Every structure is written in structure tokens, then in C-alpha cells.
Amino acid sequence: VTGGSRGIGAAIARKLASKGADIAIVYSSDDNAASAVCEEIKKDFSVNCRFYRCDVSDFEEAKKTVAAIKNDFGSIYILVNNAGITRDGLSAMMSEEDFRRVIDVNLVGAFNMTRHCIAGFIRQRGGRIINITSISGLMGNAGQANYSASKAGLIGLTKAIARELAPRGITCNAIAPGFILTDMTKDLAQQDEIKSRIPLGSIGSAEDVASAAAYLVEASYVTGEVLRVDGGLAM
Ligand code: NDP
């Protein structure tokens, strides 16, 4: 689970562990958070859990990390591409660096991790890839041209990989969360205004997204799908 040290990724890691999966957490900077989540997972669910510091946007670093995980666990069956960042701003003012960095982490990072897992999935004739996109990638969001483009790109990536790997029994799906309460969104000033636009009337939780991920691990006849977990917001 990339970005498994916090927020939605940590909730997905815990959910998959609760179903008996051993967990590898990939994160970029906060060693203490990754270590704490791993300790909790081992204690609460009696599965193996290890953490790996890696910038997923770096092709070679991602390659080494996937190799290290395979070495430690024997194989990988589920890849959750959840690591993501925002660098918001209106397009008229956005720097090239802010545009590229968001694409590099959110989209290229998912490609890198997938690329390095595919050979193993094919060899073992099975696997699950789950990409965490966003309703910003479906609808576009003002002030998030970089983020919306990265998340829309992730939907294209999901469908192309789903078609490539379907003959091998490997599924690839995406989850598009709406507003979920995590570090990424806790500073959003207009939460009441946001809630009033959500048909189900509340901000979502990381656990809501984790349940969808657990479903996509179990679903063997679903591939290339984008599952909205947004309280109906992008309906
Ligand atoms: P958080 O900001 O809470 O956590 C981000 C996670 O990604 C952290 O574990 C962080 O590690 C890791 N990370 C960041 N950059 C990199 C990198 N270059 N390489 C490896 N890991 C990295 O995010 P959320 O839990 O809110 O979001 C998770 C995903 O869900 C993201 O893809 C986001 O776009 C998506 N999403 C979130 C929504 C929301 O409302 N929260 C809505 C729609 C989609 P570290 O802390 O060590 O840097």
C-alpha cells in the first residue's frame, strides 16, 4: 500500500490486514508514522507488516522497493497505488514545477509501482491493482489543474492496464473518493458548504474508502472500473 503511513492508505492497510493479508507500507518521509501504523497492524491483526521508505515517482527507487518487498514477503498479490499529493493553485499562476511534481507522484508513481509488479503478477497468474484516483479526475476542480490531470490520467492508466492484464487473470480498478477527512483535507475552510453539496450529507471517512478497496480485492469479475466513494457528489 503506497502512502500507507497515514490517512486513506493507513485505513486500507488496516482493512486488508483485518482480512488476513500481510502488509508492506510504502511512504516517502515520515518514518515514525509508518513505524507506528505497522506496529498497530501487527498487534491488532497478527499479520506481518513492514515499512519501506521510497519516493514512488523515482523509477529506480520504486524498482528496488518492489524487489525488497518480494524478498521479504516472497510475493506480492495486491498493489494499492494510493500515494498522492496536492499543490493547489490557479492555472494562471501555477509553476511548471508544481504541475510536474503532482503528475510525477500521483500518476508516474502509480505507473512505476505497477510496472515493477507486473512480471510477478503474470508469473503467479493473478493479482489485484487498485488505484486511488479522485472525483477531481472525473469532474475537474478549479485550482487543481495539476491534481485533476494526474487523477484523470490515473483513470486512463487503470483502464489500459486492465485490458492488458485481463487475459492473465489480473484485475485493475480505481476508486474515486470525494471529500474524505484526512490530513490532506483537514484545513478545508468551507466544510459546511462542502457538506451541503453532498447528497448523503456528510464528509466521508478513510474507512469508507478502505471498504471499497477490500471489495475490489474480492471481486474477481470486475476490472477497469472506477468506483466512486463520494456520498453521491459526482453523480
Ligand atoms: P495524506 O496526505 O493523508 O497521506 C499521503 C500519503 O502518501 C502519506 O503516507 C505520504 O507519506 C505518502 N506519499 C506522499 N508522497 C509520496 C511519494 N512521493 N512517494 C511515496 N509516498 C508518498 O493523503 P490522503 O490519505 O488524504 O490521500 C490518499 C490518496 O487518496 C491520495 O492519492 C489522494 O489524492 C486521494 N484522495 C484523497 C481525498 C481526500 O479527501 N482526502 C479525496 C480523493 C482522493 P509521508 O507522510 O511519509 O510523506
Side-chain angles (χ1 to χ4, degrees):
V1 181
T2 70
S5 59
R6 284 195 279 130
I8 291 171
I12 292 172
R14 288 182 60 81
K15 177 63 104 182
L16 299 183
S18 77
K19 307 263 178 194
D22 290 329
I23 303 291
I25 282 177
V26 176
Y27 67 104
S28 64
S29 60
D30 190 342
D31 304 323
N32 292 336
S35 165
V37 168
C38 255
E39 283 312 311
E40 270 177 34
I41 284 176
K42 284 194 280 194
K43 185 162 70 64
D44 293 349
F45 306 111
S46 303
V47 298
N48 191 4
C49 185
R50 300 173 79 107
F51 51 102
Y52 303 82
R53 187 173 183 150
C54 162
D55 177 354
V56 293
S57 72
D58 183 317
F59 188 81
E60 290 304 321
E61 242 183 78
K63 186 176 184 177
K64 281 189 200 139
T65 300
V66 169
I69 295 169
K70 279 191 190 150
N71 190 50
D72 291 341
F73 290 85
S75 64
I76 298 173
Y77 189 75
I78 305 161
L79 168 65
V80 183
N81 285 309
N82 162 81
I85 58 167
T86 52
R87 288 201 184 168
D88 297 352
L90 293 173
S91 300
M93 326 261 259
M94 187 176 286
S95 68
E96 183 189 0
E97 199 218 327
D98 281 354
F99 190 86
R100 284 193 189 277
R101 184 63 191 154
V102 170
I103 300 282
D104 279 350
V105 173
N106 299 4
L107 179 56
V108 180
F111 166 73
N112 289 344
M113 293 299 292
T114 303
R115 164 74 177 75
H116 299 310
C117 285
I118 286 179
F121 287 157
I122 290 176
R123 224 174 292 123
Q124 74 202 15
R125 294 170 192 278
R128 297 276 184 267
I129 303 166
I130 299 171
N131 295 324
I132 309 301
T133 176
S134 165
I135 59 164
S136 299
L138 292 169
M139 305 168 74
N141 197 19
Q144 290 196 313
N146 49 0
Y147 184 79
S148 301
S150 74
K151 295 299 189 180
L154 202 46
I155 291 170
L157 181 77
T158 301
K159 292 180 179 179
I161 301 267
R163 284 183 189 279
E164 284 184 18
L165 299 183
R168 313 281 190 155
I170 301 155
T171 68
C172 181
N173 292 288
I175 298 173
F179 282 101
I180 307 294
L181 194 59
T182 67
D183 291 346
M184 189 179 267
T185 48
K186 68 178 188 297
D187 297 333
L188 284 176
Q190 349 73 312
Q191 284 196 359
D192 281 342
E193 188 275 323
I194 290 169
K195 274 187 215 159
S196 71
R197 286 191 284 131
I198 300 172
L200 284 176
S202 61
I203 306 267
S205 70
E207 288 67 32
D208 291 324
V209 182
S211 298
Y215 162 71
L216 290 174
V217 170
E218 281 172 19
S220 55
Y221 199 60
V222 176
T223 198
E225 178 61 349
V226 183
L227 178 53
R228 282 188 297 107
V229 179
D230 65 348
L233 182 57
M235 188 162 28

